[in-house]
Amino acid sequence: MSAAVAILLQVCVVVAAAPGVAGVTRQVRARLEGRVGAGVLQPYRDLRKLFAKRPLQASGTSWVTRAAPVLLVASSLVVAALVPVVTTQALPDVPGDLFVVVSVLLVGSVAVALLGLDAGSAFGGMGSSRHMMITALVEPTVLLAVYALSVPVDSSALGDIVGARHEDLTSIASPGGLLAVAALAVVVVAETGRLPVDNPSTHLELTMVHEAMVLEASGRDLARIELASWLRLTVLLALVVNLVAPWGIATSTTALALLVGTLAVVTKTALLAAVLGAAEIGLAKLRLFRVPELLAGSFALAFLAVTAAYLV
């Protein structure tokens, strides 16, 4: 029961912090561009406004348009429960295995791709095609990178990997660990649709990837899609920061450990989100046919990480 309470607390923390993480990234980017910005709390206001509106659906759409946003949010919540964000504890009957996490992420990716295809618009189909191409290149890199981290631990459970790095800080600076985290960083940028792979603030339909798939969404459906994308961004950033700096993450289910873990992950993730927003200032969106080259480089880093994990 204590593990279930810890996981429930973790999910609540991720849901509460996800719009704030997006707000920090936007605000830092706005300030560095010389703009005032809408403020860190603007995503919360956007969600409140969208959840109060009834969704409108294009003619000819099917039940996929209604089910896809719900499935996307559900998969994001499951990922938030499986990935060690606040605590390394896991439910006994729910494995936090690497392959399970990647499979759940893929369910959400397929759901949003089907959403883009269901309306039958040209831009939706184009965005879905690009999205699935990126997903097909991202998933193998995730598997290899986390597999490299799992070799010293003899476990593919993310909680065990983060817990082992928390206990043995020397493993953070190992060659395999550094290469794997570098590969994961590129993957997180691609998976969450950030620059240089995608521009979340673009208004040009021909360059859109994620935004092209949700052009037909509105009201509560759009709110669910936006919340799910922020949840995935928050969870993946928290995973990277816990692998690089696992200090503070709760390794037990005591109240003090969970409180420290919550404060630690919120602080570290907010700092990483600010770094992400600042880094995007100096980046330009890659041409679509250059994106596979970037992801191939991250795959090479993950492959070298596996090699280093066995040799070192």
Side-chain angles (χ1 to χ4, degrees):
M1 182 61 68
S2 59
V5 172
I7 297 300
L8 179 61
L9 172 65
Q10 174 174 287
V11 174
C12 293
V13 169
V14 171
V15 172
V21 170
V24 168
T25 304
R26 293 178 182 178
Q27 187 66 17
V28 169
R29 182 174 177 178
R31 287 293 186 177
L32 293 178
E33 289 177 344
R35 297 183 287 111
V36 175
V40 176
L41 300 181
Q42 184 59 41
Y44 294 98
R45 294 189 284 267
D46 292 340
L47 285 181
R48 182 184 62 183
K49 177 182 67 176
L50 290 174
F51 271 118
K53 293 184 177 181
R54 182 173 61 88
L56 300 177
Q57 296 178 1
S59 59
T61 55
S62 65
W63 58 271
V64 173
T65 299
R66 297 186 294 272
V70 177
L71 183 58
L72 182 58
V73 171
S75 65
S76 300
L77 291 175
V78 172
V79 171
L82 296 178
V83 173
V85 176
V86 174
T87 176
T88 58
Q89 300 294 316
L91 295 175
D93 298 329
V94 182
D97 190 82
L98 159 68
F99 300 99
V100 176
V101 173
V102 172
S103 299
V104 177
L105 281 173
L106 187 58
V107 168
S109 299
V110 172
V112 72
L114 291 176
L115 175 65
L117 292 171
D118 191 49
S121 65
F123 291 123
M126 182 175 61
S128 297
S129 175
R130 294 174 175 178
H131 177 70
M132 292 311 297
M133 179 197 71
I134 295 172
T135 300
L137 297 173
V138 161
E139 303 301 337
T141 304
V142 176
L143 293 173
L144 270 183
V146 183
Y147 177 70
L149 297 173
S150 69
V151 170
V153 186
D154 292 329
S155 173
S156 59
L158 294 176
D160 294 340
I161 294 172
V162 175
R165 293 172 73 85
H166 179 269
E167 297 297 329
D168 183 16
L169 298 180
T170 59
S171 61
I172 298 175
S174 64
L178 293 176
L179 290 170
V181 171
L184 275 178
V186 177
V187 163
V188 169
V189 169
E191 181 69 25
T192 56
R194 313 297 304 189
L195 288 171
V197 177
D198 188 18
N199 187 357
S201 60
T202 184
H203 299 288
L204 300 175
E205 288 86 351
L206 291 176
T207 65
M208 289 179 177
V209 179
H210 177 268
E211 299 301 321
M213 296 182 291
V214 301
L215 283 175
E216 302 294 339
S218 62
R220 288 185 290 272
D221 287 344
L222 182 58
R224 295 185 183 99
I225 294 170
E226 292 292 336
L227 178 60
S229 65
W230 297 337
L231 287 174
R232 292 160 76 97
L233 174 64
T234 303
V235 170
L236 292 176
L237 288 181
L239 175 61
V240 171
V241 79
N242 281 335
L243 289 172
V244 175
W247 305 288
I249 190 168
T251 56
S252 63
T253 56
T254 62
L256 179 60
L258 293 176
L259 177 61
V260 172
T262 300
L263 295 176
V265 75
V266 169
T267 303
K268 293 186 293 185
T269 306
L271 290 175
L272 186 56
V275 171
L276 178 62
E280 289 183 343
I281 297 298
L283 296 175
K285 185 181 181 300
L286 289 174
R287 294 179 59 188
L288 178 64
F289 297 107
R290 297 295 299 275
V291 172
E293 297 178 8
L294 175 66
L295 298 180
S298 67
F299 182 83
L301 288 176
F303 183 79
L304 291 175
V306 174
T307 305
Y310 278 105
L311 295 180
V312 178

